[in-house]
Structure formats: C-alpha cells, structure tokens
Amino acid sequence: MTMIPPLKTRDVSRFGRVGLVIGGSSAEREVSLSGGEAVAAALARNGIDHCVFDGPLALFDAIGNGEIDRVFNLLHGPDGEDGSLQGALQLMQVPVTGADLASSALSMDKVRSKWVWERNGIDTPPFEWFAANDHGYERALEKFGLPLFVKPTGLGSSIGISRVNQEDQLTAAVELARSYGSAVIIEAEVRGDEYFAAVLGRVGLPLIRVEPANEFYDYEAKYESDQTRYFCPCGLAEGIEQDLRQRSLLAYDLLGVSGWGRVDFILDESGTPWFLEVNTTPGMTDHSLVPQAAAEVGIGFDELVWRILETSL
C-alpha cells in the first residue's frame, strides 16, 4: 500500500507569484508546451497566482524585475532539465521545483549516470560511448551484436533514438543521434517489458507497464499513438512490485534526485530490472506517466501539480 503524506500547506499565499517556464528551444519543446498548457490550467484551478514564460530568458527578466517568487519548471532537455536553469535560479536565490543543479546535470547525462549505477551495482544495459570524433562504431557491433539502440547522450522523450536491426542501418542511426548532440551511446538490447516508476517527494508511486504501439517506446508511441497500452496496476505480484519500487528509488537516490521524477527500466524474463534513465522533469501531457501513476493512489491532476509545486518550498 502506498502511504501518501499530507500536503505541506493548504495556504495558497505560501507560493507567492509562480513563474511556470515551458517551451524553450530544445528538441522537446512541443512536449513541454503541451504539458505546460495542462499545468497552467491546474495552477489556475488551484487559485495560484502565476505567469507562463516560454523559455528561461523571459523568466529571468521577470525575476530581475521582482515579479516572480518561485518557479515551476516544466522545461525538458537542454537549458531546463540539465542543471542550467537550476544553477541560474540558485544564484538568483529563487526556489524551483524538482532536482538541483548537480543531480539534474548528472541525470541528463546518460553516460555518467550509467557509470554511477554500474559503480554501485545497479544493472543498466551494456553500452559503448562515442565522443564527437570517435567513429569506431564497429566495436559496439563486435561487442554486442544486433539489435542495438543508438541514443543521444543528453536528450529525453526518445528523440533521436533508433533501434538498429541490420548493420547497414547503424551509420544513419548515429547521424540522427548526432544531430541532437555530438556524443552518442550505443546500447545492447535488453529484452523484456518496459516499466516506469514515478517518484513524488520520497514516495514511489505504483509502477506502470507499457506495451508500445511501435517496435519500442519511441516518440510516436509516447505522445502521438492511441494504440500504446498502459497498465497500472502493472500486473506484478505485490511483493515483487514493492521490491522494484525500492530499487527504482535507490537508482533515483544514487543520482541525487529530489522533488519528483520518473525512473525507467526494462524487466527481463529472469526478473532483473535494467535501468535506463531518470527523468527529473517528467512529461505532464495527457499521455504522460506520472499523472497516471498518481491517479492510481487517488491524487488527481490538480493535486499533483500542487504537490510538485510544494517541492520548491
């Protein structure tokens, strides 16, 4: 059973004027805009004084003018989820929802976050890292065989990710990933079901199992398809699910994440979870997973937005 702590406050004046920052210039802009519309509506229904900003520069101007007391961050990807925004707000002494500078930067970096997990006994799919001038992709083929996953090292929402089934697909997959950043990783495929563990405060919410409409849980399956199937409850035995929630929380803690987030993993046929990444600013669209998990324990969307905002107190 999931024990949900009481709200920290019911006094809307505690928040002051909130700057909701969305959009920005990253490849995840459209996802952020979609979620931002829903969050802005929830802030209004909660009676929270707020203003919406497209990207951090307009937000910084408002902060400089003394117009904003705290920030609800819903930027995804570079400049919002990678520590840049968090560091600037730290210097300005303005509270912000979610993870801090260091944990945001570490979680966004797929290579270094996986190194931390490997050092601490957390299973993550084997991978090879290719810096900007490293084109020796054959070593991943020799080491892992096919199929492979090619990914940018610092982007979410499955943007720029390819599943490579044939050797002649590899170069195009790397070029796609490099179009979103100079460094890429190539991972061995781990076969199993995809699970997602939302964390709110220090509470692990019910796991969600996803059956993607496509070959894997790519951008289309996440945000555009009505054929992707979501299971919450996820169908695992209670004891197994509780253990996986605890392991997910450990993976989350090892990267120093706080406030709220989502831990993604694949559960193989032997019951071993292989951790993929931690999202420090998960999506809040109508297809998103954190709202689905929160609803399973009786937290509606408006209360979820309130609780996320409380992480800035």
Side-chain angles (χ1 to χ4, degrees):
M1 182 177 179
T2 303
M3 299 298 293
I4 304 299
L7 297 175
K8 293 179 182 178
T9 183
R10 295 183 182 274
D11 180 2
V12 71
S13 68
R14 288 279 306 277
F15 298 124
R17 191 155 201 248
V18 175
L20 170 62
V21 59
I22 63 175
S25 58
S26 87
E28 298 181 71
R29 171 180 172 81
E30 294 304 318
V31 179
S32 175
L33 290 174
S34 178
E37 183 177 351
V39 170
L43 291 171
R45 289 191 294 267
N46 281 321
I48 296 168
D49 184 18
H50 69 282
C51 187
V52 180
F53 299 92
D54 188 343
L57 297 183
L59 171 69
F60 295 157
D61 287 342
I63 291 172
N65 292 331
E67 299 170 8
I68 297 298
D69 298 300
R70 70 188 60 249
V71 172
F72 192 121
N73 176 31
L74 204 65
L75 290 172
H76 303 313
D79 299 332
E81 203 173 355
D82 63 354
S84 303
L85 176 70
Q86 293 79 2
L89 293 175
Q90 180 178 316
L91 291 174
M92 295 177 184
Q93 298 184 325
V94 175
V96 60
T97 54
D100 65 11
L101 187 165
S103 57
S104 297
L106 180 58
S107 299
M108 180 58 79
D109 189 324
K110 289 183 172 68
V111 175
R112 285 159 181 81
S113 58
K114 287 163 75 74
W115 284 342
V116 170
W117 283 342
E118 287 178 335
R119 179 66 177 81
N120 288 278
I122 298 289
D123 291 312
T124 186
F127 71 101
E128 287 288 321
W129 169 49
F130 297 87
N133 296 317
D134 187 350
H135 302 284
Y137 314 129
E138 66 281 350
R139 72 173 182 267
L141 280 169
E142 293 169 0
K143 192 170 184 178
F144 305 132
L146 293 170
L148 296 167
F149 281 91
V150 180
K151 305 178 179 182
T153 60
L155 202 60
S157 298
S158 296
I159 294 173
I161 295 180
S162 302
R163 185 178 191 265
V164 175
N165 300 305
Q166 301 176 38
E167 186 172 344
D168 61 5
Q169 297 172 337
L170 183 57
T171 299
V174 172
E175 289 176 354
L176 174 63
R178 286 203 193 276
S179 70
Y180 296 102
S182 58
V184 300
I185 64 171
I186 301 180
E187 281 184 350
E189 181 187 55
V190 173
R191 296 186 179 180
D193 292 327
E194 298 188 59
Y195 289 83
F196 301 85
V199 180
L200 185 57
R202 294 297 306 155
V203 176
L205 298 178
L207 299 182
I208 295 180
R209 177 170 61 87
V210 173
E211 289 183 2
N214 299 338
E215 192 173 41
F216 67 99
Y217 195 41
D218 61 8
Y219 185 93
E220 181 185 1
K222 285 182 176 180
Y223 302 111
E224 298 173 351
S225 175
D226 292 326
Q227 302 304 310
T228 296
R229 301 176 67 195
Y230 302 92
F231 298 88
C232 188
C234 67
L236 294 172
E238 183 177 352
I240 293 173
E241 178 171 353
Q242 288 296 335
D243 177 64
L244 290 169
R245 286 202 221 176
Q246 287 301 312
R247 294 200 203 188
S248 298
L249 194 57
L250 175 59
Y252 178 93
D253 286 341
L254 284 169
L255 302 186
V257 183
S258 60
W260 70 304
R262 196 191 73 231
V263 185
D264 304 350
F265 65 90
I266 293 174
L267 190 66
D268 71 14
E269 293 180 352
S270 72
T272 299
W274 296 83
F275 288 89
L276 302 174
E277 62 181 348
V278 174
N279 292 271
T280 57
T281 309
M284 292 287 280
T285 71
D286 57 1
H287 281 63
S288 294
L289 301 170
V290 174
Q292 292 185 51
E296 183 64 22
V297 292
I299 299 175
F301 192 84
D302 289 2
E303 181 183 339
L304 175 61
V305 168
W306 183 286
R307 286 180 176 272
I308 293 169
L309 187 56
E310 283 188 339
T311 69
S312 68
L313 291 175

